[in-house]
Amino acid sequence: MVIEMNEAPLQFVEYQKIIEPRSVKGRFRNIKTIILVLAYLVYFLLPWLPWSREVGPNQTIVFDLATHKYYLFNLVFHPQDILTLAALLFLAAVFLFFITTIAGRIFCGFFCFQTLWTDAFRLIEQKIQGTRVTRLRLKKQPWSSKEKLLKVGSTHALWLLLAFWSGLTFTLYWAEARTLIVEFFTGQAPFAAYLTTLIITVTTYLAAGVIKDAVCVHICPYSRFQSAMFDENTAIVSYDERRGEAEAGRAKPVKAMKSLQQRHEAGIGDCVDCNYCVQVCPMGIDIRDGLQIACIHCGLCVDACDTIMDKQGWPRGLIRYTSENALEGKKTSRFGVRTVGYGLATLAAAAVLIWSVVATQNLTVDVSQVRNPLFVVLSDGSVQNSYRFKFYNKTMKPADFNLTVEGIPEATVDIGKLENVHLEAGRGLRMFIRVRQAPSVNGAEKNRAIRFKLTPISGEFESPVYVDSQFIIP
Amino acid sequence: MIEKDPITGVETTGHVWDDNIQEFHNPLPRWWLWTFYATVVFAIIYWVIYPSWPVGSTFIKGINTITYQTDAGEEVTSHWNTRALLARDMQTGKSAMAQKAYLNEIAATSYDDIAKDADKLAFVESYGNGVFGEYCAACHQSGAGGVVGEYPNLIDDDWLWGGAPHEIETTLKIGRIGFMPAYEETFNDAQLTQVANYVLSMSGEKSDPALAAAGEEIFHGQTGGCHYCHTNEGTGLKSQGAANLTDKIWTIADVRGAETDEQRLERVKSVIHNGVNRVMPAWSSRLSDTEIKVLTAYLLNKRAGGQ
């Protein structure tokens, strides 16, 4: 048997070439920079912003795991408010879908922390090592070169510093920042603080400094299911192939191909094949190959192409945000089923979120009737039922309640020697409570629905709180 | 010299079979190899610190130790093992210390003050539930409702031996023997019926007035002598653990569970005929003073009035 050995071997994994994107100036670069600065200001400064509270830390945002309280501005969330978190996550998801159907992966291109941190890392790299050309030249130098060692070394040192500060800042959200930062550097912080900082530092350094674009292509699930959300009406970064290639394809602006008129006569498109759009791409793709999974729609190739078009004095927009329909000369429909559906889901999720925050019960009461035994007959013939109560006062003020029962007029609530139900600020309480019915009642139903009424005496509560239960007689 | 396969560019070992089958040299990835070496190092360190290899009938115990107290109060240092770890955790762990602090507070607080403190009551309720479940529930049932005729109900407001805190404490510590003599040889059936009617009448149950009047004679007279323990008013002597016959609570004769008047009468007669012989063991040797205090407070909180 003759084996053909000349074929190239099967390659299952395509090795990633390291991308060295060229810098570019333009609209989208400016937008990206503004978003980066704003996001960093918010992320790095928020833990330091003071916030006055009657009870609790004087800090804008604290996720206090030890006491199960999550402070956000004027709101305090408790583990019981899990619905709010669920609504928030659902809103985030459907809003993302909604935006994606309209404008593609602009979250990826402009807001995702992977993009932001990679961008910041590249800005550092560019400041120290210079432009793309100098970086490529530096790369070719041997490691014995002092310049290379110094420049690459200081880049990585600065990357690590930014990664560390990102990790430390993340940790500061979970405790009182002013106290923790002192403890952190004096070696007195909890082990969890060091571990969290270490993990975030390492992952930030690796994701933004080493793995970079591969995160978006191979790790992030969102790039994979984005294709389910795009349609012909979605505005995406696209290359106008009809204009760029025309009948005879693209060509460099040499000799008789310099003016638009000459090119159009020869059937040649407007693309001058300068490759600038490819060089600036942080994902290392060629947008002229059409929509592809690696594209994060950051718009840097638009900036690059616009720069060239401006230089040529030709109209902008050879690469632009546009829909597939528009490129084919069809009408772009803004209100497709998908867009409207995701839009409605977004509104619904926002409504649920607002409702869950506004309508949060500041007092949670759980009552379960003691079932063993269901009732007990007392010496005067009256019947007693017992109940286990669980209260949680979510307000930041202590509160007192008067506990009464409705549904059996002759019944009394017995809380023993306690004066009333006293709940400390932001704390829970469990109580064993008895209800007695006078012996004179005859012919009553064996199982009666009753309602406990908690009338506020002091604290932040105004209207009474009711909770249903039942009363059983022999 | 390193040979390379011309097509793939992969290093070869130089071994060739059948003219064109070559053995490539594809070493393990470095990261994998170093991770493997790291696990080897980890294992060796682990063997030194923790119990590891079996050797004959024993095993290498490792250098790590745990010190804890046995139930007898002896301090024991053993090689690292999860049972000792649990024992130490239950004695000096974070939760154990918090529980101890609570128990010390309970021990230092009067029953009256415990009843006025919702936080302490919540602790008494949860800790007491555990102690009660372990030692008391076998007879008195897990909800402390007891069994009529066998074990007293502890959540009503009728206490045979007294329901004041110190009385409950004493009952728990020294135990009780509940005894009523059998009247099978003293009373004939007519007398039994008369006394039973009187007993039913005392708590307002349906009874024959004539028979009850005759029964009253026997109850207060020398024939029955019931009043010695049950007192003239029928409210019972606490020092004897004698039942209060005037209230609505029946601890021995299941009058409440009877369906007919005859059955009700029969049940009372049966108790007088057979007598009562109940024993509650003493707990002072098995429970600490604090545990007894928690149990007492637990029962006080459960019963009517919560005092």
Side-chain angles (χ1 to χ4, degrees):
Chain A
M1 201 171 88
V2 181
I3 301 164
E4 191 63 62
M5 295 285 285
N6 293 331
E7 279 175 33
L10 268 176
Q11 189 90 48
F12 291 104
V13 177
E14 191 186 342
Y15 290 103
Q16 194 81 19
K17 49 189 187 301
I18 291 169
I19 300 159
E20 287 293 349
R22 195 171 151 185
S23 58
V24 66
K25 282 183 178 138
R27 279 179 296 165
F28 292 110
R29 178 64 261 179
N30 289 343
I31 295 172
K32 275 172 76 74
T33 310
I34 291 167
I35 292 171
L36 177 68
V37 170
L38 283 179
Y40 270 22
L41 280 178
V42 170
Y43 176 72
F44 287 102
L45 294 183
L46 216 46
W48 303 106
L49 197 66
W51 200 265
S52 72
R53 285 189 188 89
E54 283 184 45
V55 184
N58 300 324
Q59 189 173 322
T60 318
I61 293 182
V62 189
F63 304 114
D64 192 350
L65 284 182
T67 61
H68 307 297
K69 287 187 187 65
Y70 311 103
Y71 303 91
L72 271 104
F73 300 94
N74 266 342
L75 298 170
V76 183
F77 293 95
H78 296 78
Q80 290 92 328
D81 302 321
I82 189 80
L83 179 70
T84 307
L85 179 66
L88 180 70
L89 292 177
F90 186 70
L91 173 65
V94 287
F95 185 58
L96 194 63
F97 298 167
F98 175 64
I99 291 295
T100 307
T101 54
I102 290 177
R105 291 171 69 181
I106 59 163
F107 171 76
C108 296
F110 295 89
F111 300 98
C112 176
F113 46 82
Q114 172 65 24
T115 305
L116 291 179
W117 259 261
T118 310
D119 214 20
F121 272 41
R122 285 204 162 118
L123 285 175
I124 292 172
E125 191 183 35
Q126 198 187 310
K127 279 271 170 297
I128 294 174
Q129 301 184 15
T131 59
R132 179 170 187 261
V133 184
T134 29
R135 286 207 303 274
L136 289 173
R137 201 185 302 132
L138 196 67
K139 211 174 227 174
K140 281 188 192 128
Q141 288 183 27
W143 277 106
S144 52
S145 145
K146 211 173 181 182
E147 189 201 1
K148 182 169 179 172
L149 263 183
L150 199 72
K151 283 191 171 172
V152 175
S154 55
T155 307
H156 280 265
L158 276 176
W159 282 359
L160 269 173
L161 188 68
L162 176 58
F164 168 71
W165 202 253
S166 306
L168 183 61
T169 303
F170 179 84
T171 312
L172 293 179
Y173 278 93
W174 305 82
E176 286 190 56
R178 275 152 243 264
T179 326
L180 185 66
I181 197 139
V182 176
E183 288 176 350
F184 192 91
F185 289 109
T186 51
Q188 291 164 318
F191 173 71
Y194 292 106
L195 187 68
T196 309
T197 309
L198 178 74
I199 290 171
I200 304 289
T201 305
V202 171
T203 49
T204 305
Y205 174 73
L206 287 179
V210 181
I211 317 174
K212 293 181 191 180
D213 49 286
V215 171
C216 309
V217 184
H218 297 295
I219 297 174
C220 178
Y222 181 52
S223 66
R224 297 283 150 176
F225 63 73
Q226 59 153 339
S227 51
M229 287 158 209
F230 284 7
D231 58 21
E232 315 75 68
N233 296 312
T234 306
I236 50 175
V237 173
S238 349
Y239 169 64
D240 191 342
E241 205 175 329
R242 292 212 295 193
R243 183 184 154 196
E245 308 284 323
E247 291 96 45
R250 59 184 89 129
K252 292 203 185 308
V254 287
K255 289 174 199 164
M257 301 293 176
K258 277 192 173 138
S259 76
L260 270 185
Q261 204 189 345
Q262 289 167 323
R263 290 170 78 95
H264 290 173
E265 276 164 13
I268 284 174
D270 288 2
C271 176
V272 295
D273 205 12
C274 62
N275 268 333
Y276 194 15
C277 59
V278 180
Q279 288 163 1
V280 298
C281 181
M283 304 301 293
I285 58 167
D286 187 343
I287 191 69
R288 294 170 301 178
D289 294 341
L291 175 63
Q292 47 209 291
I293 203 145
C295 179
I296 58 169
H297 293 85
C298 63
L300 289 182
C301 51
V302 179
D303 282 347
C305 194
D306 283 351
T307 313
I308 300 298
M309 290 296 121
D310 287 352
K311 209 174 275 171
Q312 297 286 339
W314 301 347
R316 285 180 166 198
L318 182 55
I319 302 175
R320 63 178 188 272
Y321 265 100
T322 186
S323 72
E324 216 171 289
N325 271 345
L327 280 177
E328 285 171 11
K330 294 180 198 158
K331 225 181 143 225
T332 302
S333 155
R334 291 256 169 253
F335 300 100
V337 178
R338 213 189 292 257
T339 321
V340 173
Y342 284 136
L344 289 177
T346 306
L347 286 178
V352 171
L353 179 63
I354 292 168
W355 172 81
S356 76
V357 171
V358 173
T360 291
Q361 288 287 338
N362 276 328
L363 178 75
T364 57
V365 190
D366 279 324
V367 60
S368 68
Q369 195 196 9
V370 173
R371 304 206 150 260
N372 177 20
L374 278 168
F375 57 82
V376 60
V377 177
L378 302 182
S379 51
D380 61 354
S382 57
V383 178
Q384 175 176 289
N385 281 204
S386 306
Y387 302 85
R388 285 181 213 282
F389 272 81
K390 258 194 259 177
F391 302 100
Y392 198 98
N393 175 13
K394 290 202 231 164
T395 67
M396 290 294 114
K397 266 188 187 162
D400 287 276
F401 292 93
N402 193 14
L403 182 65
T404 49
V405 66
E406 292 179 351
I408 2 172
E410 324 77 11
T412 50
V413 175
D414 173 11
I415 56 169
K417 287 184 178 170
L418 301 171
E419 278 171 24
N420 45 46
V421 179
H422 175 76
L423 305 175
E424 295 293 340
R427 278 195 61 191
L429 180 69
R430 282 196 265 182
M431 277 177 86
F432 187 91
I433 285 167
R434 300 152 295 272
V435 173
R436 260 195 307 284
Q437 181 196 265
S440 57
V441 184
N442 281 318
E445 278 176 69
K446 283 201 164 201
N447 187 347
R448 274 198 284 174
I450 57 166
R451 194 157 77 142
F452 286 101
K453 181 183 181 186
L454 284 148
T455 317
I457 304 170
S458 69
E460 261 181 40
F461 297 91
E462 275 154 22
S463 46
V465 178
Y466 296 93
V467 53
D468 291 329
S469 191
Q470 60 196 1
F471 190 89
I472 291 176
I473 57 170
Chain B
M1 200 194 101
I2 298 165
E3 286 181 47
K4 280 195 175 173
D5 175 54
I7 298 164
T8 56
V10 176
E11 234 177 80
T12 70
T13 55
H15 304 157
V16 182
W17 293 269
D18 298 342
D19 293 339
N20 57 4
I21 298 177
Q22 305 178 72
E23 186 183 345
F24 281 10
H25 177 59
N26 272 325
L28 289 164
R30 293 294 101 174
W31 68 266
W32 191 94
L33 197 63
W34 284 111
T35 311
F36 175 68
Y37 290 151
T39 60
V40 172
V41 173
F42 175 84
I44 292 167
I45 295 171
Y46 187 95
W47 298 340
V48 175
I49 298 174
Y50 297 104
S52 51
W53 292 100
V55 179
S57 60
T58 176
F59 56 93
I60 296 172
K61 294 192 168 63
I63 56 169
N64 201 3
T65 58
I66 289 180
T67 305
Y68 64 99
Q69 278 194 341
T70 61
D71 287 343
E74 277 175 77
E75 198 142 281
V76 174
T77 301
S78 90
H79 66 273
W80 189 94
N81 64 87
T82 46
R83 182 190 284 195
L85 194 67
L86 177 69
R88 189 183 65 179
D89 196 45
M90 286 180 71
Q91 284 155 2
T92 54
K94 206 174 155 189
S95 322
M97 295 317 277
Q99 193 180 60
K100 256 180 210 165
Y102 256 113
L103 283 171
N104 289 341
E105 253 184 76
I106 295 291
T109 313
S110 72
Y111 286 108
D112 204 40
D113 288 340
I114 293 173
K116 285 175 187 162
D117 185 336
D119 204 35
K120 288 199 177 68
L121 280 181
F123 174 77
V124 160
E125 175 64 22
S126 73
Y127 189 85
N129 201 40
V131 182
F132 189 89
E134 193 156 335
Y135 298 103
C136 319
C139 293
H140 291 288
Q141 309 297 300
S142 59
V147 179
V148 179
E150 303 287 340
Y151 312 108
N153 182 331
L154 303 177
I155 52 173
D156 60 25
D157 57 348
D158 186 22
W159 288 73
L160 294 167
W161 300 91
H166 70 273
E167 290 169 327
I168 298 177
E169 257 188 18
T170 309
T171 303
L172 279 164
K173 280 180 183 162
I174 65 170
R176 296 294 185 190
I177 297 170
F179 175 72
M180 175 175 132
Y183 282 83
E184 55 181 329
E185 282 164 18
T186 320
F187 294 158
N188 57 35
D189 193 59
Q191 284 171 315
L192 261 182
T193 312
Q194 287 161 354
V195 176
N197 265 292
Y198 176 60
V199 169
L200 282 169
S201 74
M202 273 196 279
S203 49
E205 296 288 335
K206 210 171 165 188
S207 58
D208 184 318
L211 291 172
E216 190 173 1
E217 289 289 316
I218 301 167
F219 189 92
H220 296 288
Q222 287 295 323
T223 332
C226 309
H227 66 283
Y228 290 125
C229 290
H230 287 290
T231 75
N232 278 326
E233 294 77 32
T235 50
L237 260 186
K238 275 183 184 155
S239 60
Q240 300 305 309
N244 181 343
L245 302 174
T246 60
D247 63 17
K248 305 280 181 192
I249 294 169
W250 297 86
T251 81
I252 312 285
D254 188 8
V255 169
R256 203 160 286 285
E259 275 154 16
T260 59
D261 291 345
E262 290 82 51
Q263 209 177 9
R264 214 163 280 149
L265 186 68
E266 271 317 305
R267 287 186 178 183
V268 178
K269 277 171 74 178
S270 157
V271 173
I272 303 167
H273 183 267
N274 297 326
V276 176
N277 207 342
R278 308 199 284 190
V279 176
M280 165 159 153
W283 293 99
S284 56
S285 59
R286 296 182 63 182
L287 296 175
S288 72
D289 283 356
T290 311
E291 279 171 318
I292 286 175
K293 185 158 187 184
V294 171
L295 264 182
T296 308
Y298 172 76
L299 291 174
L300 289 171
N301 188 40
K302 270 208 172 325
R303 72 164 194 213
Q307 279 122 48

